[in-house]
Amino acid sequence: MPQLNDIQTMMRDAARDFAQNELKPNSPKWDKSAEHPVAVIKQLGEMGFYGLTVSEEFGGSGAGYLSLALVVEEIAKGDGALSTITSVMNSVVCSPIAQYGTQAQKETWLTPLATGEALGAFCLTEPQAGSDAAALKTKAVKTDSGWRLSGSKQFITNGAIADLAIVFAVTDPALGKKGLSAFLVPAHLEGFTVPVVEEKMGQRASDTAQLVFNDIELPADALLGAEGQGYAIALGNLEGGRIGIAAQCVGMAQAAFDVAAAYANERESFGDTLMHHQAVGFRLAEMDTQIEAARQLVWHAARLKDEGRKALREAAMAKLFASEMAERVVSEAMQTLGGYGYLTDFPIEQIYRDVRVARIYEGTSDIQKMIIARDIEGRFS
């Protein structure tokens, strides 16, 4: 395992301590009640976990993507839902503003977002357009004073609690995906509504909402980046998002594995511990190997990002492998506990529900395979 520097070690340890002492004990309660613990969510930002890719000038630490992966993994061990929020706040809320925002936009929004004073949402997916970002229908029309935004978004993390939404809209229908632009939309504006907060199978402490924009009037300086740059902004930051979700998968799989390994070393069957039965021991060995392989893929992609190198292929591989791995590992952990694993008294049942969505969001497994396949085609054609 590569050597971590002092900042990475400090961030990881702080996240681990907070996750085990504050998140893990409360996670079952939040899951059962579908409570969105806003105070705790903001506390994660106050601890510096939302500004990992933001410079110190705007309230971040500039610790980088490997630090992000380390932090998200640890938080996921305590609560999967809040690790999703941590990944979103870093990779697709703070990062695009840090990269494309004007000085004024950064001063207004980036600092409060990086420090947890404000919460943000990344609004790309629509009811009829998920993986196909070029099929968006939300539109922004130029006016004398700026823009008029109308449309709807679906499956938006933080949608009901966000102070700011980064909204992708069509500004020139004739240009296809080159006619998309990104906008900074404060949630308090007239016409910004949250008609639905979805009821979900898992990750119930994280709100997932539908948003509707009813002819919202935006000033000209609400535009993030240049007009027509929306598609590039969206896809460029999904790369970091995939690293975050892959790290989340490693964390949830590790949490389930730890429960199963402890149980196998304590529970006796046929006169010996489960661990000494080859079927169980080999199962755990395979699980341990799969988790470590996924972790190394995540770390490799994160290090490439930190070095300023392209990591589209590597991030896709990490997200694909880690999400598929995590579902298998958590299922095998449940199998190791037998009937107890199926009970809500044990944490694996919740992790099993929490981890399933990881193969869907931030690009489905099929989308990751498409990205990897295109890279192969480019290298060998």
Side-chain angles (χ1 to χ4, degrees):
M1 185 174 291
Q3 185 70 35
L4 303 179
N5 63 37
D6 291 343
I7 293 177
Q8 292 161 348
T9 301
M10 179 184 67
M11 288 292 185
R12 181 201 62 191
D13 292 349
R16 177 180 295 167
D17 181 70
F18 189 76
Q20 294 303 309
N21 294 312
E22 302 298 332
L23 303 184
K24 187 176 180 179
N26 290 297
S27 185
K29 177 189 70 173
W30 297 331
D31 175 65
K32 286 182 173 62
S33 65
E35 175 188 353
H36 307 140
V38 176
V40 178
I41 292 169
K42 290 193 171 185
Q43 189 176 357
L44 287 167
E46 293 169 4
M47 295 182 68
F49 298 147
Y50 294 164
L52 296 167
T53 63
V54 176
S55 68
E56 294 182 10
E57 179 185 0
F58 298 106
S61 62
Y65 284 90
L66 181 53
S67 291
L68 170 60
L70 294 165
V71 165
V72 170
E73 178 181 338
E74 294 300 331
I75 292 173
K77 293 176 188 176
D79 184 87
L82 269 62
S83 72
T84 294
I85 294 173
T86 304
S87 179
V88 165
M89 287 295 296
N90 278 280
S91 58
V92 292
V93 173
C94 287
S95 286
I97 300 175
Q99 185 176 356
Y100 295 96
T102 64
Q103 184 71 15
Q105 288 172 334
K106 292 176 184 178
E107 290 174 354
T108 301
W109 288 113
L110 190 53
T111 299
L113 290 167
T115 58
E117 181 183 342
L119 298 174
F122 180 83
C123 304
L124 180 64
T125 301
E126 297 185 359
Q128 81 296 329
S131 298
D132 185 5
L136 301 184
K137 292 184 178 179
T138 296
K139 62 182 181 180
V141 179
K142 280 186 178 179
T143 64
D144 292 340
S145 59
W147 302 87
R148 181 178 297 112
L149 179 71
S150 58
S152 63
K153 298 292 178 178
Q154 183 70 24
F155 304 130
I156 305 303
T157 299
N158 284 354
I161 61 175
D163 300 287
L164 177 75
I166 301 177
V167 181
F168 294 85
V170 178
T171 49
D172 190 337
L175 295 179
K177 64 184 181 182
K178 293 183 178 180
L180 298 180
S181 301
F183 296 88
L184 300 180
V185 184
H188 64 77
L189 293 181
E190 184 178 355
F192 189 116
T193 61
V194 185
V196 177
V197 177
E198 304 292 353
E199 295 186 14
K200 300 178 296 183
M201 171 181 172
Q203 298 203 22
R204 290 160 56 83
S206 167
D207 76 287
T208 302
Q210 182 185 93
L211 304 182
V212 173
F213 314 113
N214 295 303
D215 293 330
I216 297 178
E217 297 292 338
L218 297 173
D221 61 5
L223 183 68
L224 178 64
E227 185 178 346
Q229 203 173 14
Y231 192 77
I233 293 173
L235 296 193
N237 286 282
L238 285 176
E239 186 178 288
R242 286 162 184 158
I243 292 171
I245 297 306
Q248 170 193 70
C249 292
V250 172
M252 287 192 280
Q254 186 70 60
F257 172 83
D258 290 348
V259 172
Y263 183 84
N265 277 284
E266 295 171 2
R267 176 67 185 267
E268 291 191 0
S269 176
F270 300 104
D272 208 346
T273 62
L274 291 181
M275 190 66 200
H276 286 154
H277 295 291
Q278 190 178 75
V280 176
F282 278 17
R283 178 192 301 150
L284 289 165
E286 178 70 18
M287 293 159 64
D288 198 22
T289 302
Q290 294 285 306
I291 293 169
E292 189 58 36
R295 181 179 289 115
Q296 294 303 320
L297 282 170
V298 175
W299 283 34
H300 177 54
R303 285 187 180 277
L304 289 177
K305 286 285 286 182
D306 284 340
E307 293 169 4
R309 298 162 63 187
K310 290 184 178 179
L312 184 63
R313 165 182 175 267
E314 290 78 8
M317 285 180 166
K319 202 271 184 182
L320 170 64
F321 186 84
S323 61
E324 301 277 342
M325 172 280 299
E327 187 176 346
R328 291 194 306 271
V329 164
V330 177
S331 179
E332 291 290 78
M334 183 179 289
Q335 193 72 20
T336 302
L337 267 69
Y340 289 111
Y342 199 66
L343 301 180
T344 58
D345 292 343
F346 288 78
I348 292 178
E349 178 272 340
Q350 181 186 334
I351 299 172
Y352 189 77
R353 289 184 288 105
D354 286 349
V355 82
R356 179 58 183 86
V357 73
R359 289 172 55 199
I360 299 172
Y361 58 17
E362 294 288 3
T364 64
S365 291
D366 291 334
I367 289 295
Q368 309 311 320
K369 291 175 184 177
M370 285 173 56
I371 292 169
I372 298 163
R374 286 172 184 166
D375 181 85
I376 296 170
E377 182 181 10
R379 283 184 285 140
F380 288 90
S381 60

